[in-house]
Amino acid sequence: MAQKKLAIIATKGTLDFAYPPLILATTAAALDYEVTIFWTFYGLQVLKKNRSLKISPLGNPAMPMPIPMPVLVQALPGMESMATIMMKQKMVSKGVASIDELMDMAIESEVKMIACQMTVDLFDFKHEELMDGLEYAGAARFFEVAQEADITLFI
Amino acid sequence: MADTTLDAKGLNCPLPILRAKKALKEMASGQVLAIEATDPGSAKDFESFCTQTGNELIKASEAGGVFYYEIRKP
């Protein structure tokens, strides 16, 4: 049986949105898929060597809060770091892997990582700031991958 | 009787599956991996994992919130 292939486009760079592409990529790799993730726009934040991903309660009306909190309170300085710290603690207590762990597992299981060169330029990122072993390419490269894929996801 | 035992208690998706995959990689054909997990989602996940990878789920049970699986490597 030919090896199945999964292609993911990851466009978001908050802590909560870094999870779906990495959970799906590592799981698919465990199911013997060949996996490629094309990281573009804010998704590039996840590829930073010193990533400090945050969650924001702002604009996330569905996010569970320990106590009801008006939007203006959520916008106060320090609320974002507080929400991030609380989310990270919750994840540890529930046995959820960290993004660093999932990224290490993705690399270990040979998930291919493509970084969008156009958005690297757009945000003035240097290749040195991003993880080693990335391929830098554009949309045409993604279609080459997606055309071969059994499953393609946009996250 | 299992050849290797994996303690995945307290771990959540996708860690039990990833750890099981890793453990199976180290094992020989025909050997049995026993897994203990507390993630209730793992019941369906290990079924799907075995269906898709050709490993055989020879036992799946639950007692007191602990899920127990035995998987035979093909």
Side-chain angles (χ1 to χ4, degrees):
Chain A
M1 202 174 70
Q3 193 180 22
K4 289 171 287 183
K5 293 181 182 177
L6 167 67
I8 299 175
I9 306 179
T11 61
K12 298 180 181 70
T14 51
L15 178 66
D16 43 347
F17 268 109
Y19 273 93
L22 289 174
I23 288 178
L24 294 169
T26 50
T27 303
L31 296 172
D32 301 322
Y33 278 74
E34 184 185 313
V35 185
T36 307
I37 311 178
F38 186 85
W39 300 90
T40 185
F41 275 83
Y42 313 118
L44 291 174
Q45 297 289 357
V46 185
L47 297 180
K48 281 194 162 173
K49 278 179 188 153
N50 298 314
R51 67 177 81 84
S52 62
L53 306 180
K54 295 188 173 62
I55 58 163
S56 174
L58 281 177
N60 258 342
M63 186 182 292
M65 294 300 246
I67 44 166
M69 209 173 276
V71 170
L72 276 173
V73 176
Q74 295 174 23
L76 291 174
M79 287 307 285
E80 195 181 75
S81 355
M82 198 182 83
T84 303
I85 288 166
M86 282 171 64
M87 180 67 95
K88 282 186 173 170
Q89 282 171 348
K90 187 126 187 150
M91 281 164 163
V92 170
S93 76
K94 297 274 185 185
V96 174
S98 71
I99 289 299
D100 289 348
E101 272 180 274
L102 285 173
M103 184 58 93
D104 287 347
M105 285 187 273
I107 291 163
E108 201 180 306
S109 39
E110 294 175 12
V111 170
K112 286 186 213 157
M113 307 279 182
I114 302 177
C116 169
Q117 181 63 56
M118 183 274 280
T119 36
V120 169
D121 291 339
L122 177 66
F123 298 135
D124 290 318
F125 287 158
K126 305 271 177 298
H127 287 192
E128 307 87 78
E129 289 175 75
L130 303 178
M131 289 169 20
D132 299 323
L134 301 175
E135 181 185 332
Y136 292 88
R141 177 75 179 99
F142 174 74
F143 278 106
E144 188 189 353
V145 174
Q147 197 202 13
E148 297 281 313
D150 300 277
I151 299 173
T152 306
L153 302 173
F154 180 89
I155 299 172
Chain B
M1 197 52 207
D3 298 285
T4 308
T5 302
L6 170 69
D7 180 5
K9 293 196 290 291
L11 300 179
N12 225 317
C13 173
L15 293 173
I17 292 286
L18 300 186
R19 300 273 162 90
K21 172 74 180 180
K22 205 168 181 177
L24 285 163
K25 212 171 172 179
E26 311 284 308
M27 293 167 61
S29 177
Q31 285 193 319
V32 172
L33 172 67
I35 303 151
E36 285 184 316
T38 46
D39 168 19
S42 67
K44 285 286 174 197
D45 272 0
F46 275 109
E47 261 180 49
S48 294
F49 172 75
C50 289
T51 310
Q52 292 175 80
T53 53
N55 292 288
E56 189 192 351
L57 186 62
I58 50 179
K59 197 175 169 192
S61 61
E62 190 261 325
V66 178
F67 297 81
Y68 179 82
Y69 310 98
E70 281 182 9
I71 293 175
R72 183 181 283 120
K73 185 170 175 169

